[in-house]
């Protein structure tokens, strides 16, 4: 299982616990170190590579891949194309690639994606708010903002705010980008339900899973 944009490796850990052989890629050295440490701490096998998900060559192929929680929005149209070409070269013939992202409603009627949650570890508690501040669908851009507040523990009250320039995909632009790639959309699922609910390709709103299939072997 290959995970591009694996971050601190929480999915790698979960998959490895289920007995899968996992490889993660991330372009952040800090994240790669965290992911490696996470696997090592749990004595789980797996590899984490410091690399760019739009341009990598691992010299091997995988039976499946996953890219979670809107990580793909870090890539613009051209970089997405390069990423999907790379992925096609790294996936076995019948392998699937699951991508989770939130599409924007082109009518502007639906709420833009945002979420808030809390995390605790030891005596440290954080509150995280992830909001969409501006959307320009014509330009395909969204300005997202993360606000992390330390609500308990050392440095209580400290707040870190960061802005993230992301790509705003609509069902139309996302569908066109996949159609121009070596993949087709095999299924669209709501990840919140068990078993997942099958959605139409034009679903918008919260995070949903796109199951991509390689269009033709050896693309
Ligand atoms: C939203 S985080 C998701 C992390 C992980 N999938 C998770 O769910 O915990 C996105 C990750 O993508 C990484 N990333 C962004 N652009 C990248 C690129 N071009 N190549 C590799 N990693 C990238 C970031 O460093 C970050 O760790």
């Amino acid at each position: 299982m290959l995970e591009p944009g694996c971050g601190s490796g929480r999915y790698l850990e979960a998959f490895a616990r289920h007995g899968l052989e996992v490889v993660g890629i991330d372009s952040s050295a800090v994240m790669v170190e965290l992911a490696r440490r996470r696997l090592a701490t749990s004595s789980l096998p797996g590899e984490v590579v410091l690399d760019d998900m739009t341009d990598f060559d691992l010299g091997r192929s995988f039976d499946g891949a996953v890219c979670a929680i809107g990580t793909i929005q870090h890539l613009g149209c051209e970089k997405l194309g390069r990423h999907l070409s790379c992925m096609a070269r790294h996936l076995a013939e019948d392998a699937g690639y699951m991508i989770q992202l939130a599409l924007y409603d082109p009518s502007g009627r639906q709420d833009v994606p945002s979420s808030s949650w809390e995390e605790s570890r030891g005596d440290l508690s954080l509150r995280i708010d992830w909001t969409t501040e501006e959307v320009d669908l014509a330009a395909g851009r969204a300005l997202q903002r993360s606000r992390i507040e330390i609500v308990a523990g050392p440095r209580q009250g400290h707040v870190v705010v960061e802005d993230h320039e992301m790509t705003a995909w609509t069902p139309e632009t996302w569908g066109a980008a996949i159609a121009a790639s070596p993949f087709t959309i095999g299924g669209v699922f709501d990840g919140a339900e068990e078993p997942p609910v099958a959605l139409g390709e034009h679903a918008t709103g919260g995070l949903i899973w796109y199951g991509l299939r390689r269009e033709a072997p050896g693309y």
Side-chain angles (χ1 to χ4, degrees):
M1 172 70 68
L2 174 63
E3 187 189 1
C6 63
S8 67
R10 60 194 176 126
Y11 279 87
L12 297 179
E13 179 185 358
F15 285 126
R17 284 193 189 283
H18 280 81
L20 295 179
E21 191 186 337
V22 293
V23 175
I25 296 177
D26 206 285
S27 56
S28 156
V30 173
M31 288 297 165
V32 167
E33 180 53 32
L34 283 171
R36 285 178 181 157
R37 209 185 305 159
R38 184 194 288 268
L39 292 175
T41 304
S42 305
S43 301
L44 291 166
E47 194 185 337
V48 189
V49 181
L50 178 64
D51 217 333
D52 186 333
M53 63 198 263
T54 67
D55 181 16
F56 62 95
D57 182 3
L58 302 176
R60 57 177 292 195
S61 69
F62 295 82
D63 297 321
V66 65
C67 188
I69 59 160
T71 295
I72 209 79
Q73 295 172 96
H74 281 285
L75 310 181
C77 204
E78 192 206 325
K79 284 189 172 181
L80 178 72
R82 279 194 265 142
H83 168 66
L84 291 175
S85 295
C86 267
M87 291 301 291
R89 286 197 295 277
H90 284 82
L91 288 174
E93 214 169 284
D94 55 351
Y97 182 20
M98 298 292 292
I99 298 181
Q100 190 188 32
L101 86 160
L103 297 178
Y104 289 82
D105 175 9
S107 74
R109 280 196 295 271
Q110 207 163 28
D111 283 349
V112 293
S114 69
S115 52
S116 298
W117 69 99
E118 294 194 2
E119 292 284 344
S120 294
R121 193 175 304 153
D123 60 355
L124 178 72
S125 293
L126 307 176
R127 179 185 166 78
I128 301 111
D129 297 299
W130 193 286
T131 51
T132 301
E133 296 296 315
E134 291 168 26
V135 184
D136 181 347
L137 288 183
R141 281 199 303 268
L143 176 68
Q144 299 187 352
R145 182 165 296 156
S146 56
R147 181 186 183 279
I148 302 176
E149 179 180 352
I150 301 177
V151 290
R155 295 162 69 210
Q156 183 177 354
H158 190 75
V159 176
V160 179
V161 178
E162 283 180 303
D163 284 347
H164 312 270
E165 274 287 348
M166 307 295 253
T167 303
W169 296 103
T170 63
E172 193 185 2
T173 58
W174 176 248
I178 300 304
S181 83
F183 290 91
T184 53
I185 297 172
V188 185
F189 304 98
D190 173 355
E193 303 290 334
E194 189 56 50
V197 174
L199 301 167
E201 280 184 26
H202 298 288
T204 55
L207 284 167
I208 51 182
W209 285 99
Y210 278 80
L212 304 190
R213 296 252 148 229
R214 266 182 51 187
E215 198 168 51
Y219 186 99

